[in-house]
């Protein structure tokens, strides 16, 4: 008797005559697949079904879209989750965050331990959560297209990969190369992905599904990840500490600890790689659950994702208001004046690190570091008030575009969140 499938809307299951099934990621009404809450819970339901489906020989995970495999998380939903978490009592926030965000990591873990070989056919981008899903497969096929890539760019919006990316990537490519992916935005394509151990083969576009099926039907097919082999052991801390410290010092030199995401990523790798994978993904989610409570990720998502989308769309269709550039220049002047009057604000917030500058944090704390700088906070409050009149007549959409313009031209750092984030901070 065939086990009935769970109800799926973001995915579909296609049975093949050879005993394989295709799990097709195909979000309706979207041009690109993203992991919404609905998609995450559907993946979990499918993984549980797969554990009990005795008639499945193997699974091809692929996209139903020509645009790519998956671009990552639904960042709009993530912003809503942030507001839900910070609205709760402080003592409850960690548990709420952990329970809300861990299901994707759990689903991928259940998928890779279902006892059936899984091959990911990657044509187009597989970034963020899409990359993490691909890493949960036992075999990956990439196309030769320049669009086909594996990467984990969450740091760019103030976050970290929270579905096992900080653990599987370094285990596959090595800690040093893994940190380049996690902290420097390195992506893997084509033969480089094969050489690094991220992909099993590279094929012409259009041949990826057949190649994935060919592996699943071959004697080489297996359903055990490298980290689940009986002879696999976590790395001793001494073997990774040098790479961790080099990257930590580089990040602290670059931004003095102003942005917590790189430090949180380093904590994930440092605390996780020395554990078996089940403890490691929970350590990763513990760090993520602390990070997501801070304002920087919310601010960076707003300015560098939502704001960028709005700005670029308006610029493309010629509807970007002239008032944005005029306001950006006026605010830039105000920032320069405030920085000259308050050296602490200049060096700690807007200026480049100077000789003798001390990092504001080496590990991620629970509060925004600027709150411990009274002089800088007072200067920031004055700056916020001085700038408020500049945007008094702007609607919310134009203000969002302006905040992105301020971040992209380094007038106001992205992690501050433009004038909107500045007003909330003070």
């Amino acid at each position: 008797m065939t086990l009935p499938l769970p109800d799926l809307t973001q995915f579909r299951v296609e049975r093949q005559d050879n005993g394989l099934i295709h799990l097709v990621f195909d979000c309706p009404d979207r041009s690109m697949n993203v992991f919404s809450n609905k998609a995450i819970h559907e993946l979990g339901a499918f993984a549980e079904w797969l554990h009990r489906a005795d008639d499945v020989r193997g699974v091809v995970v692929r996209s139903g879209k020509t645009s790519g495999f998956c671009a990552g998380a639904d960042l709009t939903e993530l912003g809503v989750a942030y507001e839900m978490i910070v609205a709760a009592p402080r003592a409850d926030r960690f548990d709420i965050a952990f329970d809300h965000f861990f299901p994707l990591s759990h689903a991928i873990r259940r998928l890779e331990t279902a006892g059936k070989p899984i091959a990911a056919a990657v044509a187009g981008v597989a970034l963020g959560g899409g990359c993490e899903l691909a890493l949960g497969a036992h075999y990956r096929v990439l196309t030769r297209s320049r669009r086909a890539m594996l990467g984990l760019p969450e740091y760019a919006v103030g976050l970290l990969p929270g579905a096992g990316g900080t653990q599987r990537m370094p285990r596959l490519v090595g800690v040093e190369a893994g940190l380049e992916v996690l902290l420097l935005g390195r992506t893997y394509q084509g033969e480089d992905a094969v050489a690094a151990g991220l992909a099993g083969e590279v094929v012409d576009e259009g041949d990826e599904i057949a190649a994935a099926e060919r592996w699943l039907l071959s004697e080489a097919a297996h359903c055990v990840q490298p980290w689940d082999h009986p002879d696999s052991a976590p790395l001793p801390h001494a073997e990774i500490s040098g790479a961790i410290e080099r990257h930590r010092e580089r990040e602290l030199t670059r931004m003095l600890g102003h942005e917590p995401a790189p430090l949180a990523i380093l904590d994930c790798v440092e605390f996780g790689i020395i554990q078996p994978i089940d403890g490691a993904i929970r350590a990763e989610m513990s760090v993520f659950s602390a990070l997501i409570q801070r304002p920087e990720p919310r601010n960076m998502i707003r300015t560098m994702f939502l704001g960028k989308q709005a700005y670029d769309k308006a610029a493309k269709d010629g509807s970007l208001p002239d008032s944005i550039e005029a306001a950006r220049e006026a605010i830039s002047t105000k920032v320069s004046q405030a920085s000259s009057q308050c050296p602490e604000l200049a060096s700690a917030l807007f200026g480049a690190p100077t000789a003798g500058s001390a990092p504001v944090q080496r590990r991620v704390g629970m509060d925004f570091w600027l709150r411990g700088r009274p002089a800088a906070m007072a200067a920031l409050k004055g700056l916020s008030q001085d700038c408020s009149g500049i945007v008094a007549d702007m609607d919310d959409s134009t203000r969002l575009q302006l905040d992105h313009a301020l971040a992209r031209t380094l007038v106001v750092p992205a992690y501050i969140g433009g004038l909107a984030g500045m007003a909330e901070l003070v």
Side-chain angles (χ1 to χ4, degrees), residues 80 110 419-420:
V80 173
R110 292 293 286 168
L419 296 189

Side-chain angles (χ1 to χ4, degrees), residues 3-247:
L3 188 69
L5 284 159
D7 291 333
L8 304 175
T9 61
Q10 310 300 300
F11 295 86
R12 65 177 181 271
V13 174
E14 298 179 352
R15 290 186 177 272
Q16 310 299 306
D17 294 337
N18 53 16
L20 302 177
I21 63 172
H22 291 188
L23 178 65
V24 185
F25 200 174
D26 197 1
C27 299
D29 304 320
R30 291 184 185 267
S31 60
M32 172 63 80
N33 292 324
V34 294
F35 269 117
S36 62
N37 291 330
K38 190 172 185 62
I40 289 168
H41 289 285
E42 286 187 8
L43 182 66
F46 173 81
E48 296 305 325
W49 173 87
L50 191 61
H51 273 261
R52 296 179 288 119
D54 295 331
D55 60 340
V56 174
R57 185 171 178 179
V59 180
V60 175
V61 180
R62 65 178 179 87
S63 171
K65 300 186 184 298
T66 58
S67 56
F69 187 76
C70 173
D74 184 329
L75 293 180
T76 302
E77 281 192 3
L78 195 146
V80 173
Y82 169 85
E83 299 296 343
M84 178 265 294
I85 292 165
V86 298
R90 184 177 289 272
D92 297 335
R93 292 176 188 172
F94 178 88
D95 289 341
I96 292 171
F98 195 105
D99 292 343
H100 182 84
F101 289 108
F102 191 63
L104 179 55
S105 188
H106 180 69
I108 293 173
R109 182 63 178 146
R110 292 293 286 168
L111 194 66
E112 71 181 3
T113 57
K116 286 85 175 176
I118 298 170
V122 179
V125 297
L127 300 175
C131 179
E132 291 174 297
L133 174 58
L135 296 183
H138 305 102
Y139 191 76
R140 286 161 292 280
V141 179
L142 266 66
T143 66
R144 290 192 174 87
S145 166
R146 297 186 66 176
R147 298 183 303 112
M149 65 182 69
L150 296 165
L152 297 167
E154 284 88 343
Y155 73 97
V157 290
L159 289 170
L160 60 89
T166 69
Q167 304 307 310
R168 291 184 180 88
M169 182 64 74
R171 281 169 164 83
L172 287 170
V173 304
V175 172
E176 185 63 51
L179 289 173
E180 291 181 6
V181 174
L182 293 164
L183 297 172
L184 301 177
R186 179 176 181 178
T187 58
Y188 279 96
Q189 298 173 275
E191 297 298 340
D192 286 343
V194 175
L198 283 183
E201 60 182 302
V202 180
V203 299
D204 291 336
E205 195 162 13
D207 294 339
E208 67 277 3
I209 297 171
E213 286 195 346
R214 188 165 55 248
W215 180 83
L216 289 168
L217 297 171
S218 73
E219 293 184 359
H222 62 84
C223 58
V224 180
Q225 295 282 33
W227 40 86
D228 288 325
H229 279 292
D231 58 351
S232 175
L235 288 175
H237 187 266
E239 290 190 20
I240 67 171
S241 59
I244 295 290
E245 193 56 28
R246 283 194 302 275
H247 279 272

Side-chain angles (χ1 to χ4, degrees), residues 73-80 157 297-314 396-397 399-404:
D74 184 329
L75 293 180
T76 302
E77 281 192 3
L78 195 146
V80 173
V157 290
R298 186 276 312 268
N299 290 342
M300 293 182 74
I301 290 170
R302 184 178 182 277
T303 57
M304 301 311 291
F305 177 73
L306 300 176
K308 184 178 187 302
Q309 282 188 325
Y311 185 99
D312 290 348
K313 181 178 184 299
D396 290 343
S397 177
R399 289 192 185 198
L400 178 62
Q401 294 166 345
L402 171 62
D403 284 342
H404 172 68

